[in-house]
Amino acid sequence: MKRLLFVWVVSVFCAWPVASGQERDSVGTVKNYTVGIHRVQVTTTELDDEQFYEAVSPDEIRYYALNPSIFDSLAEPYRIMLDFDSIRSAIGDRVKFEYNKYDWMNDEKEYISSFTVARGRKIVFRAVYPVSAYFPDLDIITFGWWDNARFYPTNIETGQLEPFPHEIIVSDNNSYRIIQALYPNDYYTIQYWDTGAERFMHLCTLGDLGIPEAAQVFWRSDTLYLYTSYYSPGSYIKIDFTKL
Amino acid sequence: MKRIILIIALFYFWPVQAQSIGDIDYGMYDSVVRLDGNIYRIRRIPEGDFEILRRRHEEKCRSLIRTVTGLGNIQRALGSKYRVLFAEDQYGYERLYEISKGDQMVIYFPEDEGGEWTYYPEHKILGYYGGHESDQAVNLATGETAEKPVAVSPNRVFLLSGMHDGQDYMEYTISRWNSETNSYVRLVSVTEIFKQVKNSMERLGYPGYVFHTFWVGNKLYFTAGSGKYSSITVPWP
């Protein structure tokens, strides 16, 4: 009996962190931000499944999931180069690449281990990545293992990481947009269309609102819907933006 | 009379006294290996003698290596020239994103590696776990791949550094202090020496299972399997 009790106590103890999940303190809060001449109130609310799917039809989610290229056309309004030899000739000798040789399954290959940019800053990768793309208009080079993986978007003149628009989702009334950049991890910034300046300006990040990671992101007018699995269990969130 | 007793006592205890202060000199060597112009002398040691030396020297060789753990403490140890970008994940584990040294250098760390972050300030080396709990280390001054310091000789002339590959192999490197470059310079790996010794598996053991390493003067002592105790004499600078 004692042994059974011991096993039960240990199993409850082990399962506790998974069951309890991460404490969240920001959802449900109201924050005010100033953008240009405007003040915007941001309210985050947690929804259940039903409320979420009332706002956003599952068909739309399926559509976005099956057509990721819809984001590509938004995210890449720039010239893009994918062939490494062409990239190297376009960059010239402004960047010096260093390689590591890896014997994976006896198929020896070289991958970028570090590189030094024009101003002398050395960039070191502790994991190996091939070059994935170069954007001549932005002078940004990216790395990654898959066609659409654009990690560490680096300005090759300065060597600084620059938030790179991996995905841009604009609200249907063109008042807001959310940009996902892959730095340093998923990083989402929300911008507001400033009619005076006639351009989008920074409002806040999802991190500011206590949401470090998001999926299934949709706008409905001035409301942003998303699902976050960062907290256990995952949650549907509604974020209302109100002009004050 | 008292003087005679004292002389006899001194004569009697002298060899024990000489032996206890450090090394045991066996006079002859089992193997001599020449690599890159250096001569390494290898000697098998009786278990009893090895254990006596080990008790006296192993901990001392480790305690000479200063370590700093925890990424917040590592940031403080590195000072303001470096910036350590890290955060705690949802389970409370530290996740390191990057370490940058002003505009000179930035080192990015992969998302799926980490844990047990240990900084060795005298060597400017950061060690951590990679895949399969393999040892990973990087020199934060140069950005180059490094090895974790394991045992330093009490006079700090010799350094043994090592890396576990995450499977079943521990690779060790012997380095020697170079006063001109003010740094340890790699001499040879233990595996390279084993390869030069005839029937090394039978005589010395398996180089991947080298443990209980410590220095006495310029001799590196180790065990490499059941009943296999040896030393390598490394040339002085």
Side-chain angles (χ1 to χ4, degrees), chain A residues 44-56:
Chain A
T44 55
T45 315
E46 192 162 350
L47 305 177
D48 59 27
D49 301 17
E50 228 169 84
Q51 290 168 315
F52 184 81
Y53 287 109
E54 265 174 30
V56 181

Side-chain angles (χ1 to χ4, degrees), chain B residues 90-155:
Chain B
Q90 55 186 319
Y91 305 108
Y93 293 110
E94 286 183 326
R95 155 96 173 91
L96 177 62
Y97 294 101
E98 64 180 59
I99 295 181
S100 54
K101 188 183 174 188
D103 275 344
Q104 295 170 37
M105 184 173 66
V106 59
I107 305 167
Y108 296 122
F109 292 86
E111 198 174 329
D112 54 352
E113 292 190 354
E116 298 288 326
W117 305 98
T118 306
Y119 177 56
Y120 303 89
E122 282 128 359
H123 306 271
K124 290 264 179 205
I125 286 170
L126 178 74
Y128 61 96
Y129 279 144
H132 296 271
E133 294 193 346
S134 60
D135 283 327
Q136 304 286 328
V138 57
N139 185 318
L140 297 182
T142 62
E144 285 165 8
T145 297
E147 290 185 351
K148 291 180 181 177
V150 175
V152 67
S153 66
N155 51 21

Side-chain angles (χ1 to χ4, degrees), chain B residues 156-157 176-185 237:
Chain B
R156 296 181 185 271
V157 174
R176 190 172 61 192
W177 182 257
N178 184 318
S179 51
E180 285 173 19
T181 59
N182 230 16
S183 62
Y184 286 100
V185 175

Side-chain angles (χ1 to χ4, degrees), chain A residues 26-37:
Chain A
S26 298
V27 172
T29 57
V30 178
K31 291 187 177 182
N32 293 326
Y33 294 90
T34 304
V35 181
I37 56 169

Side-chain angles (χ1 to χ4, degrees), chain A residues 161-227:
Chain A
L161 282 189
E162 292 188 2
F164 178 75
H166 182 70
E167 284 182 7
I168 302 176
I169 306 168
V170 185
S171 69
D172 39 10
N173 59 7
N174 288 316
S175 291
Y176 298 92
R177 69 181 184 183
I178 182 166
I179 299 175
Q180 181 198 6
L182 294 169
Y183 166 71
N185 225 346
D186 281 356
Y187 173 88
Y188 297 84
T189 181
I190 298 165
Q191 297 177 326
Y192 176 82
W193 179 259
D194 187 312
T195 46
E198 288 203 327
R199 65 186 175 95
F200 281 102
M201 294 182 75
H202 177 75
L203 183 66
C204 62
T205 67
L206 282 187
D208 294 337
L209 305 174
I211 305 164
E213 173 268 345
Q216 301 185 15
V217 180
F218 298 93
W219 287 100
R220 282 289 172 270
S221 300
D222 294 345
T223 302
L224 181 68
Y225 293 86
L226 58 89
Y227 173 81

Side-chain angles (χ1 to χ4, degrees), chain B residues 197-209:
Chain B
V197 175
K198 202 175 176 185
N199 299 327
S200 65
M201 283 287 277
E202 289 172 22
R203 299 169 69 187
L204 303 177
Y206 179 57
Y209 290 157

